[in-house]
Amino acid sequence: MFYAVGTRLGINGIEGKIIGYITYANPNDGHKEWTEYRLMTSRGECWLSCDDVYNEYSVSWPANDVRGQIGPEWHKVDEGTQVVRAAGGSVDVDPGERASFVEYEDATEDHTLSVEMWSDGTEYSKGEYVDKGNIVVMGYEEPGADNAARAPKMIAIFVAFMVILGFGSTVIDLIGVTNVFSGKTRIKDHLTNSTLYTYETSITGQEQQQASVYKYNISSTTDDVAMEIIQGIDGQTESVTQKDDVSDAEIGILTSHEYCLVYHPEGEEDTVYVQVSDRKYNYTSDNSPYRSSRSTTTWYRSHYYSAGYSSDSSSYSSSPSAYSMYNGSTVHNIGNGYFDSYSNSIRQSSMNSRSSSGGGLSSGK
């Protein structure tokens, strides 16, 4: 059974829309083929693997927090090479590309851990097997044209309209509105528009600045939430840093205009909050993040001071700074290798998708 891009599927009660697919062949297994579908759901991105030869079907979610640490609870069940035979929709692979893979199962043989080793990095995913009968077609939506691809046409129409109205050289001053169509999404806009987040509160600082706080609606790790945000803004980050480089710890995301903290509120390890503000808020205010522990607050301030304060001193020199007398700790490892690499791969994929009919993530998934 082949599902077209645009098909809406229900999988064990989770509904999602197919936005891309990859058909693989394994030269080590008689060139057996299977297809993996990229879906967007209310829980974020997932992949549905359909192997009609062995009647195996599974759904998996990105699990890059594994970082090569595969525990004894997993046992290897398959390995080999996967070669791309065909692809379509929002994926960034070409026929002939290949990766090594290793498949693991847990003791129940219900849950899976997959490792794919591409030329530009290793990807991990965790999932579970599903019965074919629990994969239900819910409908179909015609794939829409890429918003970014439409942007040049919209801008051209806008400019022509302004010229017709006689604004002439004023068009050059107004061309800044092209940022609206450029595909660069602010973190706050992404959080506001996504069903994955619920607005919690705002914190008022100095100079009429505010920080907004959102709750991630699904029990998750800070790692997964940070990656979802990075995907949501097309990887447009300056640096992404995790406290002490420890999985599920606080993460600071710095963009050209915003500072975002991904963290667990004090005493709630299954809840993830996201606080985001313009960088001027951080430069002028020293408020603690909403419901944060003392250690989270300390790291939040020291990270901003180390990652953004110096450059913001030039941008906001006319405003009094909350850090002018700062004598606290500093963070030396600004920009974790993993998260910055992940952000860069998303950014490059976004650029590629705007210059081709494809798109999606870096090589592979």
Side-chain angles (χ1 to χ4, degrees):
M1 178 67 181
F2 178 79
Y3 302 107
V5 174
T7 302
R8 297 199 68 87
L9 296 178
I11 307 170
N12 286 352
I14 301 173
E15 186 173 343
K17 177 183 176 181
I18 295 176
I19 62 173
Y21 71 90
I22 306 172
T23 297
Y24 293 106
N26 183 358
N28 300 330
D29 189 12
H31 294 277
K32 176 183 73 72
E33 294 188 356
W34 71 97
T35 300
E36 299 191 2
Y37 299 91
R38 184 185 180 200
L39 291 91
M40 293 305 296
T41 76
S42 60
R43 289 179 52 186
E45 175 188 309
C46 73
W47 286 81
L48 170 67
S49 177
C50 295
D51 184 342
D52 292 321
V53 176
Y54 292 128
N55 292 316
E56 288 187 349
Y57 307 88
S58 64
V59 61
S60 59
W61 310 82
N64 291 301
D65 57 311
V66 174
R67 300 182 187 176
Q69 302 299 315
I70 299 174
E73 68 273 21
W74 299 102
H75 61 276
K76 182 165 61 177
V77 294
D78 195 12
E79 65 181 326
T81 301
Q82 56 189 35
V83 181
V84 177
R85 283 291 178 86
S90 184
V91 294
D92 189 21
V93 294
D94 296 311
E97 289 191 58
R98 62 179 57 212
S100 299
F101 72 88
V102 184
E103 297 285 343
Y104 298 87
E105 292 178 353
D106 67 357
T108 68
E109 299 185 351
D110 291 329
H111 300 96
T112 63
L113 169 61
S114 301
V115 184
E116 295 180 354
M117 291 154 283
W118 297 85
S119 61
D120 60 352
T122 300
E123 299 174 357
Y124 304 89
S125 59
K126 288 182 179 179
E128 60 186 10
Y129 291 112
V130 297
D131 293 332
K132 187 175 182 179
N134 290 334
I135 305 172
V136 181
V137 176
M138 309 293 291
Y140 177 81
E141 294 180 13
E142 188 69 29
D146 186 271
N147 288 335
R150 293 198 303 264
K153 295 180 181 179
M154 297 174 68
I155 295 167
I157 293 171
F158 171 79
V159 172
F161 178 70
M162 295 298 290
V163 171
I164 291 172
L165 289 180
F167 284 92
S169 61
T170 307
V171 172
I172 301 301
D173 295 327
L174 292 174
I175 206 70
V177 301
T178 59
N179 286 336
V180 175
F181 308 110
S182 68
K184 293 183 179 180
T185 303
R186 291 173 66 92
I187 295 176
K188 183 177 179 181
D189 292 338
H190 172 66
L191 301 179
T192 301
N193 295 327
S194 173
T195 59
L196 293 172
Y197 302 87
T198 300
Y199 170 79
E200 287 286 304
T201 189
S202 292
I203 302 173
T204 301
Q206 304 299 317
E207 299 282 297
Q208 299 182 323
Q209 296 295 305
Q210 280 192 334
S212 299
V213 183
Y214 297 80
K215 177 183 177 181
Y216 193 65
N217 295 328
I218 305 165
S219 177
S220 188
T221 66
T222 59
D223 299 55
D224 289 338
V225 175
M227 288 189 289
E228 196 285 325
I229 293 172
I230 291 169
Q231 289 186 40
I233 63 171
D234 290 335
Q236 298 294 328
T237 65
E238 284 193 357
S239 67
V240 186
T241 306
Q242 187 165 48
K243 180 181 179 182
D244 299 329
D245 196 22
V246 176
S247 180
D248 205 24
E250 296 89 332
I251 298 175
I253 303 175
L254 200 70
T255 73
S256 59
H257 298 291
E258 296 175 294
Y259 179 47
C260 170
L261 178 71
V262 183
Y263 66 104
H264 292 291
E266 188 170 24
E268 296 185 36
E269 294 306 310
D270 293 330
T271 302
V272 176
Y273 277 173
V274 180
Q275 179 170 306
V276 62
S277 61
D278 286 347
R279 285 167 59 160
K280 187 175 181 180
Y281 168 88
N282 300 92
Y283 180 80
T284 58
S285 311
D286 60 358
N287 298 327
S288 298
Y290 178 62
R291 295 185 58 193
S292 65
S293 66
R294 179 176 295 182
S295 62
T296 295
T297 298
T298 299
W299 188 83
Y300 168 73
R301 298 195 69 225
S302 62
H303 175 258
Y304 169 74
Y305 179 78
S306 304
Y309 175 73
S310 179
S311 60
D312 288 350
S313 295
S314 300
S315 301
Y316 310 124
S317 57
S318 61
S319 299
S321 173
Y323 288 80
S324 58
M325 302 295 290
Y326 181 80
N327 61 359
S329 61
T330 57
V331 177
H332 299 289
N333 61 329
I334 298 300
N336 293 124
Y338 168 72
F339 282 106
D340 275 345
S341 295
Y342 180 77
S343 186
N344 182 63
S345 70
I346 296 297
R347 182 165 57 251
Q348 293 300 318
S349 297
S350 176
M351 293 169 60
N352 292 338
S353 70
R354 288 196 290 271
S355 61
S356 68
S357 60
L361 303 179
S362 61
S363 294
K365 298 181 182 178

